Amino acid sequence: MTDFSAKRRPQHGAGQDSIDQSLLERIAAGERPALHELYVNYYQRLLRFLYRITGQLELAQEGINDVMLVVWEKGHTFTGRSTVSTWIMGIAYRKGLKLREKSKRWSDRFKAADIDDWNEPFLPSEKPTDEVIMQDLLARALRQLSPEQRAVVELTYFHGYSYQEISAIAGCPVNTVKTRMFHARAKLRTLLPKLGADGPYK
Amino acid sequence: MNHETANGVLPWYANGTLADDERQHVEDHVHACLTCHLELKKEHELHELVRASPTVNLAPEEGFDRLSRRLDDDARGGRSAVEQLAGAVERLWGPLSTLSSATRFSMAALVLLAFAGVLSWRTIPPPVVQGDPDYFTLSSEFKSAGSELDIVFADHVSERELRALVTEIDGSIISGPTALGRYRIRLTDDAVDEAHLSDLIRTLSHDERVRFAGPSFAGEETAE
Ligand SMILES: [Zn+2]
């Protein structure tokens, strides 16, 4: 029987969590090099996730330091009920939504039409491939979702979290996670009509 | 396991995070339910697409230096009044800087690194949005995108053929092409319903003159 399910991403392994946990213990004891190591380990993940939520690279970068400041100050309160990665992504989730809200208020006030960086900033020097067209479409389709829905999509498909983990990250019931995903999928199906039509991207 | 339950967890079946018993139940259902079987195929494609989507790559060191300075300040028992004021101004103006900042360009260039080796790109300036009243009128006017669609034409299609096709579907080009070759088309009949639009999109998708056809998204500006 075909196994349809994908493999988990390596960053979620139990081995990774024990590395994270010992780093966090050292951080809680005030060891700056341990913070540096965790910072480097999580940087790309957080940058991508925060960028997806906020839509702005500068906000995403600001968000990483907000998150890591909490890790530095509250590391000793980590109970181990979840993995370190879920805990950190949960902090990022809340910071990301807050930053987005803040910048939205500013852009509303100044009547900026679009607060996001995502608008086709690049011009390919050659004819764009189908893949590039499809990725552009995906990026624009994701923008049509709420930040909360976008976070669920990103955490599931890119970061490979379970719905239980996402419920811990987003601080909401499992059913809310499923509902957000349900609406996100319905919307993406409409916006990406080629999905599942005749093979990938076609 | 009933259809709603199984269907609701397909994304996590696809990403391999369901517990063993739940996964088995979903699998049994998927083999018996055509709807879920087809949807799972879409799930896998969406999964692949998101995983393949470009990641911004920036070096962490600069960010960590900023964090270190912040921690040093805190350790010294707070910052001076001048520093606090500077920090407050920076925080207030931070969001605005995204509208005009030159660093956008260097960042855009860094985003490109994600693509390096795959494609060669060059940057173009982002659309000017600041304080342009026409821009806002335009974007709010077209908020309802019900009778609009986006088309990327095949490479071999000439300008004349392109216009002929647009006339065939009783539409007109309202913007485009974008950097990625996307045209936005408005149908003359603006009372067109969703079913008709998706039929049209399906037909166009199989037309050899068309590389891509899809609904246009509400809220996106048309003057690109
Ligand atoms: Zn089913």
Side-chain angles (χ1 to χ4, degrees), chain B residues 88-168:
Chain B
V89 169
E90 196 180 315
R91 274 194 299 282
L92 287 174
W93 286 93
L96 286 180
S97 65
T98 55
L99 294 175
S100 58
S101 167
T103 59
R104 262 180 89 120
F105 291 98
S106 58
M107 288 188 174
L110 287 161
V111 176
L112 293 180
L113 293 178
F115 279 113
V118 181
L119 286 163
S120 61
W121 298 77
R122 62 192 171 85
T123 52
I124 54 162
V128 177
V129 296
Q130 203 170 16
D132 179 355
D134 290 342
Y135 183 86
F136 306 119
T137 327
L138 205 59
S139 84
S140 50
E141 198 176 310
F142 294 140
K143 209 144 214 120
S144 155
S147 56
E148 293 172 12
L149 65 155
D150 288 349
I151 299 182
V152 179
F153 295 94
D155 293 351
H156 61 80
V157 171
S158 70
E159 173 90 20
R160 205 169 51 84
E161 290 169 320
L162 183 157
R163 297 200 176 273
L165 177 57
V166 172
T167 311
E168 252 173 63

Side-chain angles (χ1 to χ4, degrees), chain B residues 3 29 33 36:
Chain B
H3 171 75
H29 176 81
C33 174
C36 286

Side-chain angles (χ1 to χ4, degrees), chain A residues 1-9 32 35-36 39-40 43-44 47-48 51-52 56-58 61 65-66 68-69 72-73 102-103 106 110-114 117 119-138 140-141 144 152 154 156-158 160-163 166 177-178 181 185 188-201, chain B residues 7-18 22-23 31 37 39-47 49-61 63-64 66-68 70-72 74 92 94-99 101 103-104 107-108 111-112 119-124 135-136 150 152 155 178-180 182 184 201 205-206 211-215 217-218 220-221 224:
Chain A
M1 203 45 70
T2 329
D3 179 15
F4 293 109
S5 58
K7 294 288 163 277
R8 298 207 74 184
R9 317 216 83 192
R32 198 78 74 88
L35 181 67
H36 180 250
Y39 191 97
V40 171
Y43 191 82
Q44 299 304 346
L47 185 64
R48 183 183 162 110
Y51 184 38
R52 195 65 105 188
Q56 294 175 49
L57 265 177
E58 290 176 11
Q61 286 179 297
N65 281 8
D66 288 351
M68 285 298 167
L69 196 64
W72 177 250
E73 285 169 350
K102 192 174 84 175
S103 98
W106 274 92
F110 287 88
K111 301 213 184 314
D114 193 342
D117 276 345
N119 264 347
E120 281 190 14
F122 319 121
L123 180 65
S125 57
E126 287 156 33
K127 280 271 171 200
T129 60
D130 285 355
E131 169 109 32
V132 168
I133 290 174
M134 203 58 196
Q135 284 298 345
D136 167 65
L137 188 67
L138 173 72
R140 293 186 302 118
Q144 300 287 309
V152 175
E154 181 76 5
T156 301
Y157 296 121
F158 189 83
Y161 286 105
S162 67
Y163 60 76
I166 297 172
V177 174
K178 291 182 185 171
M181 182 58 112
R185 282 160 73 198
L188 290 175
R189 265 201 300 277
T190 319
L191 298 175
L192 306 170
K194 284 205 170 183
L195 274 188
D198 2 80
Y201 314 145
Chain B
N7 192 273
V9 298
L10 283 181
W12 296 284
Y13 178 75
N15 85 353
T17 58
L18 293 185
E22 194 175 17
R23 190 181 63 229
H31 284 121
H37 189 83
E39 247 187 71
L40 187 58
K41 204 179 148 210
K42 293 184 189 178
E43 282 304 316
H44 282 304
E45 283 175 24
L46 192 55
H47 194 127
L49 198 61
V50 175
R51 282 180 68 156
S53 65
T55 293
V56 191
N57 279 308
L58 295 175
E61 293 310 330
F64 188 75
R66 260 183 289 124
L67 179 63
S68 287
R70 211 157 136 184
L71 296 179
D72 290 341
D74 289 350
L92 287 174
L96 286 180
S97 65
T98 55
L99 294 175
S101 167
T103 59
R104 262 180 89 120
M107 288 188 174
V111 176
L112 293 180
L119 286 163
S120 61
W121 298 77
R122 62 192 171 85
T123 52
I124 54 162
Y135 183 86
F136 306 119
D150 288 349
V152 179
D155 293 351
T178 67
L180 296 182
R182 179 160 42 87
R184 182 149 299 179
I201 286 167
S205 301
H206 289 103
R211 274 181 83 185
F212 165 81
F217 302 170
E220 280 193 342
E221 80 287 12
E224 288 180 70

Side-chain angles (χ1 to χ4, degrees), chain A residues 164-184:
Chain A
Q164 294 92 340
E165 287 168 320
I166 297 172
S167 119
I169 289 169
C172 66
V174 158
N175 275 335
T176 308
V177 174
K178 291 182 185 171
T179 307
R180 283 176 188 167
M181 182 58 112
F182 181 81
H183 291 302

